[in-house]
Amino acid sequence: MSDRLPIAIIGAGPVGLAAAAHLLVRGERPLVLEAGPAVGHAVAQWAHVRLFTPWRYCLDGAARRLLEASGWQAPPEEEIPTGRDLIARYLAPLGALLAPHITLNARVSAITRQGADKAKDAGRAGRPFLLRIGEEEVVAARAVIDASGTWFTPSPAGADGLPALGERRAAARVQYGIPGILGAERARHAGRHTVVLGGGHSALNSLIDLATLAREAPATRITWLMRKATVEAAFGGEGADALAARGALGSAARSLVESGTVTVRSPFLVEAVRETGAGLVIEGAGGTRVEADELIVATGFRPDLAPLSELRLALDPALDCAAKLGPLIDPNIHSCGTVRPHGAAELAHPEPGFYIAGMKSYGRAPTFLLATGHEQVRSIAAALAGDAEAAARVELELPETGVCNTGPVTRQRVSVTAATGCCAPQPKPACCG
Ligand SMILES: Cc1cc2nc3c(=O)[nH]c(=O)nc-3n(C[C@H](O)[C@H](O)[C@H](O)COP(=O)(O)OP(=O)(O)OC[C@H]3O[C@@H](n4cnc5c(N)ncnc54)[C@H](O)[C@@H]3O)c2cc1C
């Protein structure tokens, strides 16, 4: 009976839709459950942001073949889309094609096995999954791919991982992620002092937008706080990055710092965010403090594991990603951010038939690329369809970040089996020396 049930996919983002395409191609029956009112609901929140990968790294192979068969034309390979373009030219047409397999406005609040809580062994693998939609509705599935992303669970400002003291009370002056500084949020930042907190690409995007705004509204002031010991580490691979647009973000930030447009305080370990009525005081370790009007928190994202509490998971203790994936993507180990390709074997959990894919599969690690997610779901779909050979064969072209500088930066065709090496493509390690 279980075999006749669909394979549930949580989330109609790029990776969830790609998973549906791969399953369809294999003759399986996907059922995509999306919390938002349209496909690409998380991408729509950052529609104004330009990606750093060109289209050729944004399109999934199976999705592309389905779309092309319907008369769709792929965008130019080297053009770089915004989030809005990604939806309009790819996700929306793909969503329309897959519409019979997608349920919108369906938030998965919990997943379990029929008649068995997490502690019960007997016949577990043969029991269907039950997905609770909201409070009252239940959907049964023979397997589950959780591709629900991390966009809606941003990390807080506190350097210790908890919301800083006062952070929640100061919510009216605090934004997370990459707000639309040059669009809907312009009035909030023009002519005012905004602090950007974080050392990753999201922070760089906000700093560059604030600097653009400062040219139009010269009283705009920008301060950049980060945990990193020196700002240099936040500039990334720059000219050595195989993705030119990603490298350019770092170079643009460097010139904003060197020109004095952006004032840097690092390391700055946020302990408290105090709303004073007139503005904010951001307090750091050792008595450091910065006064500002607005705070943009860009300290990364983390997975929402609450809906998974009745499933048997093997999670990396540091990153909350699949345990086998942890050592491959841990930013404490891999300064390069170049991650070797991986598939169903690395993403498996003790709960048979359950996988976390896409952005959520990386837990708290910051280096996820769509191309990696597409390869993940190709492999998972093969595993669920019983094609072990295709599931184990992992092939992916990875653009390197160029941060390690131990060798020439190249784009290499990688073909590895699950157990080889670290992040470095063979035969010549170019990263993580
Ligand atoms: C600003 C930004 C820029 C990026 N730029 C690049 C880039 O240039 N190149 C690149 O390769 N990658 C980039 N990434 C990383 C990554 O590729 C994207 O985040 C991508 O959107 C991840 O796709 P996803 O399908 O895993 O998750 P998401 O796009 O986050 O989709 C998850 C979906 O699940 C839904 N959902 C969430 N919870 C539930 C629930 N409980 N029940 C049902 N549905 C739910 C959401 O509404 C959403 O539609 C970027 C990320 C960000 C945030």
Side-chain angles (χ1 to χ4, degrees):
M1 188 176 71
S2 186
D3 280 351
R4 291 200 299 272
L5 293 172
I7 295 173
I9 298 165
I10 308 174
V15 177
L17 293 178
H22 281 281
L23 288 169
L24 276 178
V25 166
R26 289 188 164 274
E28 299 290 334
R29 192 153 66 92
L31 171 62
V32 183
L33 301 163
E34 166 56 51
V39 302
H41 181 53
V43 177
Q45 315 307 309
W46 50 271
H48 55 283
V49 179
R50 190 165 295 284
L51 279 79
F52 46 74
T53 47
W55 277 109
R56 71 192 176 97
Y57 289 118
C58 298
L59 304 176
D60 170 72
R64 183 179 183 145
R65 284 188 291 279
L66 285 181
L67 281 164
E68 281 173 344
S70 74
W72 171 88
Q73 281 205 326
E77 290 225 315
E78 295 307 324
E79 201 178 285
I80 299 183
T82 60
R84 188 169 289 108
D85 299 330
L86 191 66
I87 295 173
R89 297 177 72 180
Y90 174 54
L91 299 178
L94 183 58
L97 204 63
L98 299 174
H101 306 279
I102 300 175
T103 306
L104 298 172
N105 300 305
R107 173 173 298 283
V108 175
S109 56
I111 312 170
T112 189
R113 292 275 190 183
Q114 190 170 49
D117 68 10
K118 184 151 105 174
K120 189 174 169 68
D121 275 338
R124 191 167 184 84
R127 294 173 185 267
F129 287 96
L130 297 182
L131 295 95
R132 192 74 63 91
I133 315 291
E135 297 279 304
E136 299 293 337
E137 218 181 307
V138 176
V139 167
R142 82 166 177 89
V144 178
I145 303 173
D146 181 352
S148 60
T150 55
W151 175 262
F152 295 103
T153 42
S155 296
D160 55 13
L162 301 178
L165 298 175
E167 181 176 340
R168 293 208 170 117
R169 219 170 318 124
R173 290 181 183 270
V174 181
Q175 292 172 296
Y176 297 84
I178 311 179
I181 291 163
L182 299 175
E185 307 297 333
R186 176 182 292 262
R188 209 167 153 161
H189 301 282
R192 309 185 79 210
H193 180 199
T194 297
V195 165
V196 176
L197 174 65
H201 294 122
S202 297
L204 301 186
N205 269 297
S206 285
L207 292 166
I208 292 164
D209 285 355
L210 285 166
T212 304
L213 184 61
R215 284 196 283 279
E216 297 159 18
T220 307
R221 284 173 55 217
I222 313 162
T223 300
W224 187 10
L225 307 182
M226 73 190 77
R227 267 197 308 203
K228 293 183 198 304
T230 65
V231 67
E232 196 66 26
F235 298 143
E238 298 192 66
D241 195 320
L243 292 172
R246 186 170 58 187
L249 283 176
S251 300
R254 178 191 290 282
S255 57
L256 293 177
V257 170
E258 288 175 357
S259 67
T261 309
V262 168
T263 304
V264 178
R265 301 275 300 271
S266 73
F268 194 103
L269 305 179
V270 173
E271 292 181 343
V273 179
R274 309 282 184 201
E275 227 287 347
T276 63
L280 292 173
V281 177
I282 300 152
E283 298 173 1
T288 48
R289 68 202 298 277
V290 176
E291 290 180 21
D293 296 306
E294 292 285 332
L295 171 63
I296 296 174
V297 180
T299 49
F301 299 89
R302 46 183 67 171
D304 180 6
L305 298 172
L308 313 183
S309 62
E310 286 308 319
L311 299 179
R312 294 182 176 184
L313 304 179
L315 294 174
D316 181 87
L319 300 178
D320 288 340
C321 62
K324 286 183 199 147
L325 191 53
L328 307 181
I329 62 175
D330 188 342
N332 295 301
I333 304 168
H334 299 267
S335 64
C336 60
T338 303
V339 176
R340 78 167 170 79
H342 52 268
E346 289 84 352
L347 296 168
H349 288 277
E351 192 70 66
F354 176 76
Y355 297 91
I356 302 175
M359 188 78 179
K360 187 169 182 175
S361 71
Y362 269 37
R364 297 179 181 213
T367 46
F368 179 77
L369 286 179
L370 275 175
T372 306
H374 295 153
E375 179 58 15
Q376 290 177 338
V377 293
R378 184 204 61 76
S379 171
I380 292 169
L384 289 173
D387 186 345
E389 191 273 324
R393 189 187 63 236
V394 183
E395 289 185 2
L396 177 65
E397 188 185 324
L398 282 175
E400 293 182 13
T401 53
V403 183
C404 287
N405 295 326
T406 57
V409 176
T410 50
R411 292 199 195 105
Q412 298 180 46
R413 191 80 195 166
V414 183
S415 181
V416 292
T417 50
T420 28
C422 92
C423 54
Q426 297 171 346
K428 188 172 186 189
C431 58
C432 283

